[in-house]
Amino acid sequence: MEERKANWSEVAIETLVDLVTDSERWAVIRGKFSPALTIHTKQKVWIDITERVNASSTCIRAVKDVKKKWQDIQSHTKKKEANRKAELRKTGGGPPPPELKNWEKKIVSILSEDVISGVDGGGGVDSLCTASFPTDKKNTQSGQDLPVSKRRYEEANLEPAMGMEAPSSSCFPFYHLSSF
C-alpha cells in the first residue's frame, strides 16, 4: 500500500498557481491540439511545472498528482468565487463574504466569467427531451406526429433491445415502441 503524501503547503500551491497561470504555459495547457501544439508539448510543460513545484516543496510529487491538485484547486476556486458573487448580490446586510487569497485571485483572473457564473440564457435545454424535435411523419396507428428518434425505429422496423427504451420523463411523448 502506498504511503500517504504530506498535505500541500501554501507555498507549493502558490508556486503551482504561479506556474500554471503564466501566460505562455497557460496558452499551451489550454490550447487546442495542432501540428504545432502536440500532447508531447503539453506533457513537457506539466513535467516542467512538476519539477519546479517539487523544488519548492519537501514532498516529491508525480505529474499526475500536480495535475490533480490543479484541477482540484481550480474547481474549488470557481465554486468559492461563484458563492462569493452570489453573497454580494444578496440584500439584508450581514458580514461580507471572505476575500479570495492571492493565488485564488490569479485563478479567477484567467477564467472566463461564464466558467464561474454559468451561461445566461433563460435556462438550459434538456438534451433528452424529444417533445420539441421536428416531425414530418405520422404514427400510422395513432395519427400523431413522431419525433425524429421514434421515426428511425419505425422506418427501420427495429425494436429496441429489452431495457433500451427511452427514460421516462415528462418531456417524452408517451409512445410504446412495441406498438409500431
Side-chain angles (χ1 to χ4, degrees):
M1 185 171 194
E2 190 175 328
E3 191 175 314
R4 186 180 182 282
K5 293 184 178 168
N7 290 342
W8 282 72
S9 68
E10 195 72 18
V11 172
I13 291 173
E14 288 174 7
T15 303
L16 173 61
V17 171
D18 287 342
L19 292 168
V20 172
T21 59
D22 173 69
S23 59
E24 289 179 25
R25 287 186 190 92
W26 185 246
V28 172
I29 290 169
R30 298 301 298 167
K32 292 183 179 181
F33 288 113
S34 68
L37 182 57
T38 63
I39 187 72
H40 184 67
T41 308
K42 289 186 178 210
Q43 286 172 340
K44 284 195 320 191
V45 167
W46 278 110
I47 290 169
D48 177 55
I49 290 170
T50 302
E51 288 172 354
R52 291 178 182 222
V53 166
N54 285 337
S56 71
S57 175
T58 57
C59 183
I60 303 301
R61 303 186 190 276
V63 173
K64 74 174 191 150
D65 298 331
V66 173
K67 282 182 171 182
K68 174 76 168 116
K69 183 62 175 181
W70 170 251
Q71 290 299 319
D72 291 347
I73 63 175
Q74 186 180 0
S75 176
H76 174 75
T77 302
K78 283 186 226 178
K79 288 177 189 172
K80 187 174 179 179
E81 178 65 0
N83 290 337
R84 192 183 74 77
K85 285 187 173 194
E87 284 294 319
L88 289 173
R89 287 189 296 270
K90 288 183 179 178
T91 59
E99 281 295 313
L100 297 175
K101 297 175 184 173
N102 286 335
W103 58 265
E104 291 172 323
K105 289 177 184 176
K106 284 183 182 180
I107 293 173
V108 168
S109 73
I110 62 169
L111 301 174
S112 72
E113 186 62 32
D114 291 343
V115 169
I116 295 168
S117 301
V119 179
D120 289 336
V125 175
D126 184 353
S127 62
L128 288 176
C129 183
T130 60
S132 61
F133 283 177
T135 61
D136 64 358
K137 191 168 186 175
K138 299 275 186 193
N139 177 342
T140 53
Q141 290 182 349
S142 68
Q144 294 177 315
D145 287 337
L146 293 175
V148 175
S149 61
K150 302 298 183 197
R151 280 187 279 139
R152 289 191 184 120
Y153 282 120
E154 185 177 86
E155 289 167 357
N157 280 330
L158 294 175
E159 290 291 323
M162 183 62 87
M164 296 297 290
E165 287 110 24
S168 112
S169 169
S170 62
C171 69
F172 281 97
F174 294 101
Y175 296 114
H176 293 285
L177 295 177
S178 60
S179 66
F180 293 129

